[in-house]
Amino acid sequence: MKKIHYIIIGALTVGMSLVSCSDFLEAENKSAGGQTAADYFKTPEGLKSWRVNTFNTLKSLVTSNSIYENSSDLYWPSRGNGIDEFVQFTLNSQSGSCEDLYVAGFNVVNYANGLLFYGGDTYKTDAYFLRAYAYYVLTQQFGPVPYSKEYINNANRDYPREELKTIYDGCIADLEEVYSSAPEKSATYDGSVNKRAIAALIAKFNLAAAWDLETKLDNAEQGTYSITGTSYAAKAAEWAETSISGIALTQSFEQKWAPSNEDTNPETFFSVQYDRAGYPGTNGGHGLQNDYGSYYGDISGTFMKSVGSTKVPSVKSLYLWAPGDERYEATFMTTFYNTKDKNNGGVWGTEGYYAYYNASDAAKQKLPIAFIYAPYYTDQTEFEAMLTSMASRFPKTNMANAPQAYIMANPVIAYKFDADGKWSVDEKESGAYNNSTLSARLNFTPVVKKWDDPETAQSNLNRTECYRDIVLLHASDLYLVAAEAYMLLGQEAKCLEKINAVRARAKAGSINSLADYAPEYTHPGNLRMIDLVLDERARELYAESKRYEDLRRTRQLVKYNIAYNNYIDNVAAMSDNQGNIKWYRPIPTTEISSNTSEGMYQNPGY
């Protein structure tokens, strides 16, 4: 492992693809001498290869971020992008994105089961953890699904959907079984499974069970619920505390997500591994760095990051971070460096967008600036004085990008610059932060930098040039899992203690009671503790593919979409003609048609 080096097994390539949960074919035997695939994968070499490929299957599961993010309060579509089916809740059982995720999840499950089938207890900890993680994702997106602990290598197509309690309890039991024998590590940077990762996943399963099995929805539009039990919440708090035991949030938020800190970050419990050296060319990475922002022009001419105007901040997102909260600057790239145009000697990497990482501090003090995105609370007079003092850094002649500056409030105040770098308010670019403005503007929002890869090539037109590891479980997430569990237990002081530990690292100030909390965005109705918890998760976990899961789990999906999704006005827009709310994603048509079980059924709303 790197990192785990994801390899292809030569003549014994695992040529498998999951058509549905019940249709998984064995690899074709291409070996010499009559050795079967089953024989090979029972050898130490073959089993090791299977293990590597089992970890590799996670990649398809964790990179489908539209399905994880777009049905929420934090992100809007922008210029050049249609309003997708997740934003509008118009998806159906033939949705390709839903089918891809469903297939990816069961691919992980069956590979993990194959690891047990061929290796017995050799890699039991890995197999149980990966299988459980896949079931966690599947249940949070699709609800009850078929639950299999056996490697499927036959034509059986009878796999009923199991109730959530069966899946949750089964996965929790598996993880608890292997916890004591798992490696003892303070953190992991190589993709391996350790005690902290297992404890974190147990905590997340228990938290999901606490909501799904021990709360009752009272009113979807108001986001109100009743608590009917606390056994799972108590276990969620216990295991979250176990996972974060001894991990203080002492590094800055900027340092936590710095590319240079990827292999030494004490807060990383589990991550999916990417290694540029193992994938020559530009197709072995992922595209998370290329989401969450506006379109900044053709990468070959602008020297900017290639972004597709996907998931720009909603108005609520603009107003989430209060003055002093370091997570705004650490989450978004707020200063884009300029460069000479390609006909006048621009230098990729040490100029333009990636100069933030690759140029020296001294060089960055002198580089021309293309775009600045100041937060909503910026004092306009002070900002304009700063622009005046920096006039020499806003040249237009022979530059790859015409410089712009913005105060990201609603309405947005935009500034343009003349040939000498003198600013003036750009009335044409200023305006309300809404669907119309976003659909017409370039460079209009900051971009998320959490996943930036400083080694990205200028040829990254296909947006698969990011080789940053994808962090799935980490310390501050589990601090907030503990906070949420304590909230369900009615232990407000402990809930706030965990929230304040996260806020203290960000210099965001402590909250001593709910009465202290007064966010700047417009909130429907009275603020509750669940709103505080979800807001803190939004700030800390922005662009980490968790928002739909968070809103569905906490029963706030309808309320928050009506309040903050520009394309949803009422609960009917999230329901079918019979009034069934689309809490989950649809089970794919291919699974419904190929699964012969009487226990296979479609989710409500579809």
Side-chain angles (χ1 to χ4, degrees):
M1 302 183 17
K2 157 184 159 222
K3 293 201 168 183
I4 292 175
H5 286 292
Y6 297 120
I7 61 175
I8 297 178
I9 312 174
L12 287 169
T13 299
V14 183
M16 307 181 211
S17 61
L18 185 61
V19 175
S20 72
C21 173
S22 55
D23 189 13
F24 198 108
L25 304 179
E26 279 196 307
E28 179 184 354
N29 176 23
K30 297 182 179 180
S31 63
Q35 184 185 39
T36 66
D39 291 337
Y40 173 74
F41 290 122
K42 289 179 180 178
T43 68
E45 178 187 7
L47 185 60
K48 183 178 179 180
S49 298
W50 189 280
R51 175 178 180 253
V52 167
N53 278 276
T54 304
F55 277 91
N56 195 28
T57 59
L58 280 175
K59 290 184 175 182
S60 295
L61 184 65
V62 302
T63 52
S64 302
N65 63 339
S66 289
I67 197 171
Y68 296 130
E69 302 275 42
N70 277 9
S71 305
S72 79
D73 54 330
L74 301 183
Y75 313 101
W76 288 352
S78 185
R79 181 183 182 276
N81 277 277
I83 308 159
D84 76 12
E85 59 190 356
F86 299 106
V87 172
Q88 290 187 300
F89 284 84
T90 56
L91 68 166
N92 56 53
S93 61
Q94 295 183 8
S95 163
S97 295
C98 291
E99 182 172 359
D100 288 347
L101 188 72
Y102 192 89
V103 168
F106 279 107
N107 201 19
V108 177
V109 168
N110 210 47
Y111 263 89
N113 286 338
L115 191 59
L116 295 167
F117 177 80
Y118 289 118
D121 290 345
T122 306
Y123 295 121
K124 186 177 183 179
T125 297
D126 292 337
Y128 277 15
F129 178 85
L130 295 174
R131 183 174 68 192
Y133 189 84
Y135 271 119
Y136 179 78
V137 173
L138 288 166
T139 54
Q140 300 316 291
Q141 294 290 327
F142 298 100
V145 292
Y147 183 47
S148 174
K149 289 190 171 186
E150 295 184 1
Y151 174 53
I152 300 171
N153 60 354
N154 55 52
N156 181 24
R157 295 176 178 272
D158 186 358
Y159 293 94
R161 296 178 70 177
E162 292 289 349
E163 61 181 21
L164 286 175
K165 181 174 174 50
T166 298
I167 301 174
Y168 288 162
D169 288 349
C171 290
I172 290 169
D174 286 345
L175 293 168
E176 289 180 338
E177 178 184 338
V178 297
Y179 173 79
S180 61
S181 60
E184 189 80 57
K185 291 185 178 179
S186 60
T188 180
Y189 323 118
D190 62 0
S192 60
V193 178
N194 61 78
K195 277 186 168 61
R196 288 197 190 278
I198 294 171
L201 189 52
I202 295 174
K204 281 182 170 276
F205 265 112
N206 275 289
L207 186 63
W211 284 100
D212 288 333
L213 306 179
E214 294 187 332
T215 68
K216 180 177 70 72
L217 177 69
D218 294 330
N219 186 298
E221 293 171 272
Q222 296 175 13
T224 53
Y225 55 88
S226 302
I227 296 173
T228 59
T230 58
S231 61
Y232 285 106
K235 297 292 280 185
E238 175 187 341
W239 280 102
E241 293 282 16
T242 298
S243 72
I244 61 177
S245 175
I247 299 290
L249 306 181
T250 55
Q251 62 183 337
S252 70
F253 196 72
E254 174 87 15
Q255 182 185 11
K256 173 173 180 169
W257 289 101
S260 59
N261 195 30
E262 182 171 80
D263 292 338
T264 56
N265 193 333
E267 293 186 41
T268 299
F269 295 168
F270 183 77
S271 57
V272 178
Q273 303 295 293
Y274 285 83
D275 187 5
R276 177 175 270 102
Y279 283 96
T282 59
N283 294 312
H286 57 82
L288 289 186
Q289 70 167 333
N290 308 111
D291 285 312
Y292 306 101
S294 292
Y295 178 62
Y296 307 100
D298 183 345
I299 186 173
S300 63
T302 63
F303 288 66
M304 292 301 156
K305 186 165 69 170
S306 180
V307 184
S309 291
T310 54
K311 291 178 278 299
V312 303
S314 65
V315 165
K316 177 180 177 178
S317 290
L318 294 184
Y319 287 88
L320 267 177
W321 291 269
D325 192 329
E326 294 181 346
R327 288 173 294 188
Y328 178 83
E329 293 279 350
T331 300
F332 296 103
M333 185 69 79
T334 57
T335 298
F336 289 34
Y337 294 104
N338 215 337
T339 185
K340 295 177 181 177
D341 65 40
K342 57 185 177 181
N343 297 319
N344 287 279
V347 180
W348 175 261
T350 55
E351 297 178 6
Y353 182 88
Y354 291 100
Y356 180 83
Y357 305 100
N358 298 323
S360 67
D361 289 341
K364 285 187 285 187
Q365 294 300 317
K366 299 178 182 179
L367 283 174
I369 293 174
F371 314 126
I372 293 179
Y373 300 94
Y376 71 90
Y377 49 77
T378 301
D379 181 273
Q380 185 175 352
T381 300
E382 292 179 1
F383 185 66
E384 291 171 355
M386 181 193 73
L387 296 181
T388 298
S389 70
M390 298 172 63
S392 64
R393 300 186 67 185
F394 295 105
K396 292 179 65 176
T397 306
N398 297 328
M399 288 287 109
N401 304 274
Q404 291 277 145
Y406 304 89
I407 297 178
M408 298 306 302
N410 186 22
V412 175
I413 305 173
Y415 298 85
K416 59 185 177 180
F417 300 84
D418 64 18
D420 297 321
K422 182 179 178 181
W423 64 266
S424 61
V425 174
D426 190 342
E427 300 290 351
K428 190 174 182 180
E429 289 294 312
S430 299
Y433 194 87
N434 57 27
N435 299 345
S436 176
T437 308
L438 287 169
S439 67
R441 301 286 196 271
L442 291 173
N443 314 323
F444 198 64
T445 71
V447 66
V448 170
K449 66 182 184 183
K450 268 187 177 181
W451 306 110
D452 279 357
D453 184 345
E455 297 180 46
T456 299
Q458 195 172 0
S459 58
N460 186 32
L461 297 176
N462 59 1
R463 297 173 181 154
T464 54
E465 249 283 287
C466 183
Y467 289 87
R468 291 287 302 279
D469 296 342
I470 300 177
V471 180
L472 301 183
L473 298 168
H474 60 84
S476 58
D477 180 9
L478 269 296
Y479 268 78
L480 295 175
V481 167
E484 192 174 320
Y486 287 132
M487 181 204 72
L488 289 173
L489 292 170
Q491 298 177 25
E492 183 174 312
K494 285 189 174 183
C495 172
L496 290 174
E497 177 186 330
K498 295 303 179 187
I499 288 174
N500 284 330
V502 172
R503 290 178 63 84
R505 183 250 293 279
K507 297 181 174 58
S510 294
I511 297 174
N512 298 316
S513 70
L514 186 59
D516 290 345
Y517 185 55
E520 291 295 326
Y521 67 86
T522 302
H523 184 84
N526 296 323
L527 283 165
R528 302 161 299 164
M529 283 300 294
I530 186 58
D531 299 311
L532 171 57
V533 169
L534 286 171
D535 281 0
E536 213 54 53
R537 288 188 65 80
R539 298 182 188 100
E540 189 75 13
L541 308 176
Y542 197 87
E544 292 185 39
S545 299
K546 292 180 171 64
R547 196 56 176 178
Y548 165 83
E549 168 192 323
D550 286 350
L551 297 188
R552 188 215 62 80
R553 178 185 68 251
T554 60
R555 303 190 181 276
Q556 304 308 304
L557 186 68
V558 174
K559 178 180 179 178
Y560 275 41
N561 270 277
I562 292 173
Y564 307 114
N565 181 340
N566 264 1
Y567 303 92
I568 298 295
D569 295 319
N570 51 62
V571 67
M574 302 173 63
S575 310
D576 64 11
N577 292 334
Q578 287 73 48
N580 298 304
I581 298 172
K582 299 175 182 179
W583 289 100
Y584 287 113
R585 309 310 193 181
I587 302 296
T589 296
T590 51
E591 175 67 4
I592 296 287
S593 61
S594 65
N595 195 321
T596 60
S597 173
E598 292 183 0
M600 172 50 62
Y601 55 92
Q602 185 54 270
N603 278 329
Y606 306 99

